[in-house]
């Protein structure tokens, strides 16, 4: 029994072209099946019983009333977990269903499956859990104290990253210090966490799911379900955005357990409020910095203490804090650095991956510090940044020497030289151009303009020795009289355009017009996650490698045939659905050459190896590739009401090679919007561990009225190590956009602004 | 209760609709029209936008029971088999679709705008689509798409 999934569409296009996405036509018609749209006969609906307390001991769970409720087919608690009771991406510390204690508000405690979603929700309310409420530990600084209650057996420190680079006692002529705070951001993908589990006859299960990484889900699920991995088959369903929110398990194990228990297909689809507790968030952070520089503006040292709140469970916290620490100084040369990055357990909602992954929090701090330093030196802030900009061959504070293009100074030059937008017109009747918008709070009175700059960077791909690879299967055959390439990987199309990119690469490498990318599933090897801006590089690399192997076999075949006839086989290529000679003449069509032959190759691709950070000094070649972007923001601020209108954003980013330029632009635009969100709008409001705004009514996302025009410079400087010279694109736009906006608000108001998102009372003098 | 209504020109009937079921639920789970999306079910994101008697509404805010005898047009009703509406074509071509979860709602809202204002200014586009949240695109290409569609429809 299978739900309807999106059919594979044919794509035609080459690397470097604006090829439209093959799923676009279905998506604009409303016909694209997302994971929340799946349905099969006899399907049940699952609902989750969640903890109303951030920290409590579970005294008892009584499911009898729920079991007796109408339409209920199964009720499960931790006692029903067939295999491992805990899971986790890095550290298996998160209960599938809570046992003994709950550690955050909204933690899953029990499950119900029923005939109708409302029956399931009502029955969930009839699961009676008795708690002994404990005082929640919600302040990450407190969690670090020796006498703090220990939330996990190994204590509250999930990881402490130490970077000790150069002279630890360095002194400088000019010193600036600052403390900064970043609020908790939600990825808020529009598609809710959802999926459908279908039991088979033999105790195994098929899961149709929207996830960023099928294979790591399967690995965790097999453990939880106590099944061998081949009895847990995952198939990708349509994904309504991800941004890190789909890296951890949410409802996967729950749906599978309910399906296996009830013997019926079970669908779980979270509501928006539930989604806010159903996935991890961006870590809130507190960052204390000291920058020392010479009078000429050269950085002498940076000392930083970064504390990220990891919430109740580890998720990917250990990797996030590594990034926050490695990139703590920003894309600058800094001979001496002392960085301490901590990520700790608290009773707040768990935090993990979100676009930018640790490089977002520190960018607010290091860029604020650079502006402060510029002011102390009486120097232009862009000039100060340029003087310290990383270059090819520079050493990071981790000791790694960066090779390939490092265009930090060039990116800054581009955004600086772009003409500024016209001053706002106080007589304009278009209120949407004013801070406060159609609320009609100002017609220009007390509105001041500010301009701010920021630059940031991060790694592309996994780091610290993690085994980064992707697998691709490529098949060339003749279908209906035409050559056709089928590409099969397990990589997640989260909206970024990966399906198109895979097809473009195959079309380019094999010179074939019709390329079909099969839906991702676990029948092919792992592609790793759609995260860390890595898929075009790593899965793109795997598709290219598999195509190379297919091409070699096709050309060998051609040489065999032709060699017999003409003896001339030098420089044969694949183009226009044919084998062509070195000068481009068609030698033989693929249709003729292949006949019934099917050429299939499966290949893995690995980027260069990285190494783990030294535990005492943080020195290592920890990262594969670095991607850079810079932003300039222009804002109008109503200084009396503290309202902000972002007037314009400008960005410059090196993408190495734009495989699909239109999709690249989409990443730059969408990423900047999420940066703007964190800068001035988006924050999960917590009070004593409880989320106060778990809805789109109260958690404010940027709308089309909030997003200004984005002026773009896309540089294609070519990385010597990557396929086609490409660089990861997705995350850099989210890193420096927000800090540029905050810098612009500071410039407009003269206020220090040390916390994001910026609130009216941070701007208005009180 | 029994609900009978015209959806995309066809009379559809649902039996045993609960009092609490939204039009969105009825469309999706009873009529199998999953094009209208369920991103917030609170009237905040516009991903469930449909026409009810010719008026743009959030299907999540309308009760199933309210639509008895009325006319509904959903995103599925904007195209005829494989012939896309110009708004739909423009969304694909302009790159206004990424994950696409916001897209059906935006397509319906943009369709409604161009019906009322055939040649909208950028400010009018922004105002008309302010109730539709897109988390992926940053909206630039959505504005491009509406302008592209407007140009083609009037040209
Ligand atoms: S789902 Fe109806 S407005 Fe969001
Ligand atoms: S394209 Fe993903 S929400 Fe708009």
């Amino acid at each position: 029994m299978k739900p309807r999934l999106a059919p594979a569409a044919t794509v035609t296009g080459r690397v470097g072209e604006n090829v439209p996405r093959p799923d676009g036509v279905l998506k604009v018609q409303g016909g694209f099946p997302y994971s929340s749209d799946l349905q099969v006969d006899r399907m049940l609906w699952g609902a989750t019983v969640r903890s109303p307390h951030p920290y409590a001991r579970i005294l008892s769970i009584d499911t009898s009333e729920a079991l007796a409720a109408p339409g209920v087919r199964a009720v499960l608690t931790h006692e029903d977990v067939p295999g491992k009771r805990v899971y986790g991406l890095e550290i298996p510390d998160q209960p599938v269903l809570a046992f003994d204690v709950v550690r955050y508000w909204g933690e899953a405690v029990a499950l119900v499956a029923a005939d109708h979603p409302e029956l399931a929700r009502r029955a969930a309310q009839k699961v009676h859990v008795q708690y002994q409420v404990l005082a929640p530990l919600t302040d990450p600084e407190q969690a670090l104290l020796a006498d703090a209650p220990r939330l996990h057996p190994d204590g509250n420190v999930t990881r402490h990253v130490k970077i000790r680079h150069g002279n630890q006692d360095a002194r400088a002529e000019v010193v600036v210090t600052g403390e900064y705070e970043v609020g908790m951001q939600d990825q808020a993908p529009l598609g809710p966490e959802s999926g459908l589990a279908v039991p088979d006859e033999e105790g195994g299960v098929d899961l149709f799911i929207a996830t960023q990484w099928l294979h790591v889900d399967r690995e965790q699920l097999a453990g939880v379900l106590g099944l061998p991995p081949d009895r847990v088959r995952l198939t990708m369903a349509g994904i309504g955005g991800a941004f890190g929110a789909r890296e951890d398990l949410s409802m996967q194990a729950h749906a599978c357990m309910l399906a296996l228990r009830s013997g019926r297909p079970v669908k779980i689809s979270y509501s928006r409020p539930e989604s806010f507790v159903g996935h991890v968030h961006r870590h809130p952070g507190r960052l204390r910095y000291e920058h020392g520089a010479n009078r000429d503006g050269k950085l002498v040292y940076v000392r930083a203490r970064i504390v990220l709140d990891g919430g109740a469970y580890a998720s990917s916290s250990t990797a996030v804090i590594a990034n926050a620490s490695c990139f703590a100084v920003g894309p600058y040369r800094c001979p001496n650095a002392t960085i301490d990055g901590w990520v700790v357990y608290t009773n707040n909602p768990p935090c993990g991956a979100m676009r930018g992954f640790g490089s977002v929090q520190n960018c607010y701090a290091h860029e604020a510090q650079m502006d402060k330093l510029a002011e102390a030196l009486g120097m232009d802030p862009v000039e100060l940044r340029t003087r310290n900009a990383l270059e090819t061959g520079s050493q990071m504070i981790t000791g790694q020497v960066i090779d390939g293009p490092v265009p930090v100074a060039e990116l800054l030059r581009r955004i600086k030289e772009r003409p500024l937008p016209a001053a706002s017109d106080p007589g304009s009747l278009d209120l949407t151009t004013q801070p406060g918008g159609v609320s009609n709070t100002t017609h220009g009175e007390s509105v001041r303009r500010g301009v701010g700059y920021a630059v940031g960077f991060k790694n592309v791909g996994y780091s610290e020795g993690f085994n980064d690879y992707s697998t691709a299967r490529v098949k060339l055959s003749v279908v209906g009289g035409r050559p056709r390439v089928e590409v099969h990987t397990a990589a997640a199309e989260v909206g970024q355009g990966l399906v198109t990119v895979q097809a473009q690469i195959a079309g380019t490498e094999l010179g074939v017009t019709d390329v079909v990318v099969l839906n991702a599933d676990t029948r092919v090897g792992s592609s790793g996650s759609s995260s860390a801006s890595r898929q075009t590089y790593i899965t793109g690399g795997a598709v290219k490698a598999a195509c190379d192997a297919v091409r070699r076999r096709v050309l060998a075949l051609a040489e065999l045939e032709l060699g017999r006839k003409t003896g001339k086989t030098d420089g044969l290529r694949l183009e226009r659905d044919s084998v062509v000679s070195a000068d481009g003449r068609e030698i033989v069509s693929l249709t003729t050459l292949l006949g019934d032959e099917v050429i299939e190759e499966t290949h893995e691709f690995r980027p260069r190896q990285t190494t783990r950070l030294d535990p005492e000094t943080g020195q290592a070649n920890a990262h594969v590739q670095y991607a850079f972007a810079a932003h300039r923001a222009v804002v109008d601020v109503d200084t009396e009401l503290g309202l902000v209108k972002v007037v314009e954003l400008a960005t410059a980013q090196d993408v190495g090679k734009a495989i699909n330029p239109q999709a690249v632009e989409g990443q730059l635009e969408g990423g900047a919007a999420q940066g703007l969100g964190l800068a001035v709008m988006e924050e999960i409001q917590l009070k004593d561990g409880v989320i106060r705004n778990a809805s789109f009514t109260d958690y404010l996302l940027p709308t089309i009225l909030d997003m200004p025009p984005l002026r773009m410079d896309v540089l294609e400087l070519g990385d010597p190590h990557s396929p086609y010279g490409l660089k990861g694109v997705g995350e850099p736009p989210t890193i420096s956009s927000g800090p540029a906006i905050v810098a612009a608000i500071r410039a407009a108001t003269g206020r220090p602004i040390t916390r994001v998102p910026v609130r009216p009372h941070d701007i208005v003098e009180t | 209760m029994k609900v009978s209504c015209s959806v995309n020109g066809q009379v559809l009937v649902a039996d045993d609709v609960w009092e609490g079921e939204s039009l969105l639920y009825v469309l999706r789970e009873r009529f199998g029209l999953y094009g209208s999306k369920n991103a917030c079910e609170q009237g905040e994101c516009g991903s469930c936008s449909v026409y009810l008697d010719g008026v743009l509404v959030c299907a999540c805010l309308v009760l199933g029971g309210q639509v008895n005898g009325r006319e509904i047009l959903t995103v599925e009703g904007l195209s005829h088999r494989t012939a896309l509406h110009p708004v739909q074509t423009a969304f694909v071509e302009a790159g206004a679709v990424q994950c696409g979860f916001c897209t059906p709602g935006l397509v319906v809202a943009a369709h409604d705008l161009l019906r009322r204002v055939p040649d909208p200014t950028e400010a009018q586009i922004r105002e008309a689509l302010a109730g539709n949240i897109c988390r992926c695109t940053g909206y630039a290409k959505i504005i491009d798409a509406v302008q592209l569609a407007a140009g083609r429809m009037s040209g």
Side-chain angles (χ1 to χ4, degrees):
Chain A
M1 203 176 349
K2 263 191 165 184
R4 187 181 80 86
L5 299 169
T10 304
V11 188
T12 299
R14 300 285 185 263
V15 164
E17 295 174 3
N18 283 335
V19 179
R21 51 182 317 132
D23 56 19
V25 170
L26 268 187
K27 283 178 174 176
V28 295
Q29 291 176 293
F32 183 78
Y34 292 88
S35 57
S36 45
D37 303 333
L38 304 178
Q39 34 116 23
V40 287
D41 287 347
R42 299 183 68 241
M43 179 180 92
L44 303 176
W45 292 78
T48 312
V49 179
R50 296 183 177 276
S51 167
H53 308 293
Y55 194 29
R57 193 162 297 288
I58 298 174
L59 301 177
S60 65
I61 306 176
D62 179 359
T63 59
S64 53
E65 197 187 334
L67 265 171
V72 170
R73 309 289 167 166
V75 182
L76 307 179
T77 70
H78 65 90
E79 288 177 359
D80 303 297
V81 178
K84 291 185 192 149
R85 294 198 299 174
V86 288
Y87 68 94
L89 287 174
E90 313 268 349
I91 303 168
D93 63 353
Q94 181 155 3
V96 179
L97 291 169
F99 53 90
D100 300 338
V101 289
V102 288
R103 295 185 183 83
Y104 73 98
W105 180 77
E107 183 165 350
V109 180
L111 303 167
V112 176
D115 296 337
H116 185 287
E118 186 58 28
L119 288 176
R121 278 192 289 270
R122 288 183 190 181
Q125 287 168 8
K126 295 185 174 138
V127 173
H128 300 294
V129 187
Q130 265 202 314
Y131 295 99
Q132 178 197 349
V133 176
L134 304 169
L137 178 60
T138 56
D139 180 343
E141 292 282 357
Q142 299 262 315
L144 276 171
L145 299 178
D147 58 350
R150 292 158 80 91
L151 299 183
H152 288 271
D154 293 337
N156 296 337
V157 177
T158 318
R159 188 174 181 190
H160 173 200
V161 174
K162 285 192 242 180
I163 296 182
R164 304 287 182 266
H165 184 68
N167 178 0
Q168 295 301 294
D169 305 309
R171 288 165 174 276
E173 293 164 329
V174 183
V175 173
V176 293
T177 61
E179 283 193 43
Y180 306 93
E181 200 179 330
V182 177
M184 185 185 281
Q185 189 179 19
D186 190 58
Q187 300 88 344
L190 280 209
E193 289 81 357
S194 43
L196 172 69
V198 182
D200 64 22
E201 312 278 281
E202 289 108 39
V205 64
D206 279 282
L207 179 65
F208 301 87
I209 184 71
T211 176
Q212 287 176 245
W213 189 353
L214 288 168
H215 284 78
V216 93
D217 276 13
R218 175 163 80 166
E219 203 179 296
Q220 295 180 88
L221 287 172
V224 167
L225 301 173
L227 289 171
D230 61 344
R231 309 276 296 280
V232 185
R233 295 163 299 266
L234 272 67
T235 303
M236 198 69 82
I239 306 179
F243 318 115
R246 299 185 205 273
E247 278 191 32
D248 296 71
L249 294 182
S250 57
M251 45 54 66
Q252 286 89 327
H254 299 162
C256 290
M257 282 165 53
L258 287 169
L260 289 169
R261 173 62 69 92
S262 66
R264 302 257 301 256
V266 174
K267 170 162 152 178
I268 296 183
S269 184
Y270 287 175
S271 67
R272 183 53 55 180
E274 191 170 22
S275 174
F276 272 91
V277 292
H279 62 253
V280 300
H281 310 287
R282 189 191 299 291
H283 292 76
R286 291 186 202 165
L287 308 97
R288 205 160 69 207
Y289 270 68
E290 178 178 320
H291 277 56
N294 287 336
R295 286 248 161 258
D296 64 0
K298 283 268 166 54
L299 281 179
V300 175
Y301 68 85
V302 173
R303 298 188 185 120
R305 180 176 186 275
I306 299 170
V307 178
L308 299 184
D309 181 352
Y313 298 104
S315 178
S316 49
S317 279
T318 49
V320 172
I321 194 62
N323 269 12
S325 307
C326 289
F327 309 118
V329 170
Y332 305 114
R333 281 164 301 166
C334 180
N336 310 298
T338 312
I339 313 292
D340 284 281
W342 304 82
V343 64
V344 297
Y345 287 122
T346 64
N347 291 118
N348 289 322
C351 291
M354 182 175 173
R355 197 175 194 172
F357 203 79
S359 305
V360 168
Q361 295 90 336
N362 61 30
C363 191
Y364 280 100
H366 64 66
E367 290 305 88
Q369 283 287 102
M370 291 305 272
D371 284 345
K372 236 185 191 182
L373 190 57
E375 204 186 324
L377 290 160
M379 193 180 279
D380 175 78
V382 174
E383 172 59 26
L384 174 70
R385 286 172 169 83
T386 306
R387 266 186 210 188
N388 291 289
L390 284 177
E391 298 164 342
T392 303
S394 299
Q395 206 181 35
M396 296 259 304
I397 58 167
T398 53
Q400 183 166 3
V401 173
I402 308 196
D403 54 4
V406 184
V408 178
E410 174 65 10
L411 300 177
L412 286 164
R413 189 182 68 74
R414 297 240 181 174
I415 53 168
K416 173 90 184 179
E417 284 180 2
R418 204 173 254 290
L420 284 161
S424 74
D425 172 9
S428 164
L429 293 178
D430 180 6
L431 287 172
T432 61
T433 63
Q434 298 287 355
V438 291
S439 304
N440 200 10
T441 50
T442 178
H443 291 194
E445 315 84 68
S446 308
V447 172
R448 272 196 235 125
R449 178 154 289 189
V451 180
Y453 294 87
V455 57
F457 75 140
K458 90 172 279 291
N459 57 319
V460 173
Y462 302 138
S463 41
E464 285 202 79
F466 195 95
N467 181 17
D468 198 348
Y469 73 98
S470 179
T471 319
R473 183 181 300 153
V474 171
K475 182 168 110 180
L476 173 65
S477 61
V478 177
V479 177
R482 291 162 65 90
R484 177 167 117 142
V485 180
E486 263 178 28
V487 179
H488 191 189
T489 72
E493 166 62 71
V494 293
Q496 81 279 48
L498 186 67
V499 164
T500 329
V501 160
Q502 293 181 67
Q504 288 175 265
I505 291 173
T508 303
E509 295 303 322
L510 298 176
V512 168
T513 310
D514 296 350
V515 182
V516 168
V517 179
L518 303 185
N519 191 33
D521 57 37
T522 50
R523 291 178 306 147
V524 59
S526 176
S527 285
S529 58
S530 288
S531 65
S533 305
R534 63 181 282 287
Q535 280 298 26
T536 299
Y537 188 150
I538 315 293
T539 291
V543 172
K544 185 166 184 288
C547 287
D548 286 343
V550 168
R551 189 179 50 237
R552 278 194 297 274
R553 284 178 56 190
V554 176
L555 292 181
L557 202 64
E559 281 166 20
L560 206 67
E561 298 260 311
L562 296 174
R564 239 184 263 136
K565 286 186 201 149
T566 65
K568 274 200 231 145
T569 59
D570 284 353
L572 293 183
R573 288 179 285 134
L574 299 184
E575 237 173 59
R576 307 190 306 277
D577 295 331
S578 304
V579 177
V580 302
S581 62
D583 58 3
R585 265 181 314 110
E586 179 177 326
I587 307 283
V588 57
S589 75
L590 287 175
T591 306
T592 309
L593 179 70
L594 292 174
D596 293 339
E597 188 130 6
V598 175
I599 299 187
E600 183 180 292
E601 288 284 342
T602 302
H603 272 251
E604 282 179 2
F605 173 80
R606 284 185 163 72
R608 50 184 166 164
Q609 257 305 316
T610 57
T611 55
R612 212 171 150 69
L613 295 177
D614 180 278
E616 291 310 316
T617 66
Q619 302 299 290
N621 287 335
H623 304 292
V624 174
Q625 185 189 53
Y626 296 94
F628 304 87
H631 285 83
R632 181 187 72 192
V634 179
V635 304
D636 281 342
V637 182
D638 182 333
T639 53
E640 270 178 33
L641 294 178
L643 300 174
V644 175
K645 169 75 191 172
V646 183
V647 174
E648 188 203 73
L649 286 169
T651 186
Q653 181 171 336
D654 172 26
V655 304
K657 163 79 185 168
I659 304 296
N660 186 325
Q662 191 185 55
V664 164
E665 289 173 15
Q667 288 299 301
L668 269 55
E669 290 158 349
Q674 292 183 2
L676 178 147
L678 177 57
V680 292
M681 301 176 75
E682 294 181 36
E683 181 174 11
I684 291 184
Q685 313 265 356
L686 289 164
K687 184 144 190 344
D688 302 328
V690 176
I691 299 181
R692 308 304 303 271
N693 59 340
S695 75
F696 281 177
T697 308
D698 299 313
Y699 183 90
L700 301 183
L701 293 161
T703 70
I704 199 167
L705 287 172
D706 300 303
M707 221 10 227
L710 176 72
R711 318 281 174 212
M712 279 183 271
D713 258 323
V714 177
L715 281 67
E716 298 182 88
L717 301 180
D719 182 306
H721 298 284
S722 64
Y724 309 106
L726 71 84
K727 277 199 177 191
V729 170
E731 290 170 289
T734 310
I735 298 172
S736 46
S737 45
I741 291 168
V742 178
I745 298 172
R746 276 190 214 103
T749 61
R751 304 275 297 164
I753 316 280
T754 56
R755 187 187 188 284
V756 290
V758 181
R759 300 155 300 189
H761 62 81
D762 297 324
I763 293 174
V764 179
E765 216 112 11
T766 44
Chain B
M1 77 188 90
K2 181 171 168 165
V3 172
S4 160
C5 53
S6 152
V7 182
N8 303 330
Q10 221 189 327
V11 176
L12 298 178
V13 180
D15 290 315
D16 304 325
V17 172
W18 289 22
E19 296 80 354
E21 277 178 25
S22 65
L23 169 59
L24 181 62
Y25 185 89
V26 172
L27 287 173
R28 290 170 55 82
E29 304 300 338
R30 302 213 176 255
F31 297 153
L33 292 168
Y34 288 94
S36 308
K37 290 286 167 280
N38 54 337
C40 76
E41 297 182 72
Q42 222 176 26
E44 293 291 341
C45 73
S47 66
C48 62
S49 301
V50 299
Y51 286 107
L52 177 60
D53 290 340
V55 177
L56 188 69
V57 297
C58 290
C60 69
L61 294 185
V62 176
L63 284 175
Q66 278 175 283
V67 303
N68 198 34
R70 299 173 71 178
E71 244 175 64
I72 297 146
L73 180 65
T74 72
V75 67
E76 287 97 340
L78 295 185
S79 48
H80 299 285
R81 294 177 189 279
T82 52
L84 298 186
H85 186 274
V87 169
Q88 294 172 314
T89 318
F91 265 69
V92 177
E93 284 178 24
V97 180
Q98 286 188 30
C99 86
F101 209 81
C102 66
T103 305
L106 272 158
V107 163
V108 176
H111 182 271
D112 178 54
L113 168 68
L114 295 182
R115 206 171 56 132
R116 292 179 289 112
V117 188
D119 187 20
T121 62
E122 187 181 320
Q124 285 172 315
I125 296 172
R126 287 181 184 268
E127 198 186 332
L129 303 183
N132 292 77
I133 290 173
C134 172
R135 189 51 158 167
C136 300
T137 66
Y139 304 104
K141 301 217 170 334
I142 291 170
I143 296 172
D144 293 348
V146 177
Q147 285 168 338
L148 183 63
R152 285 184 182 158
M153 285 164 70
S154 61

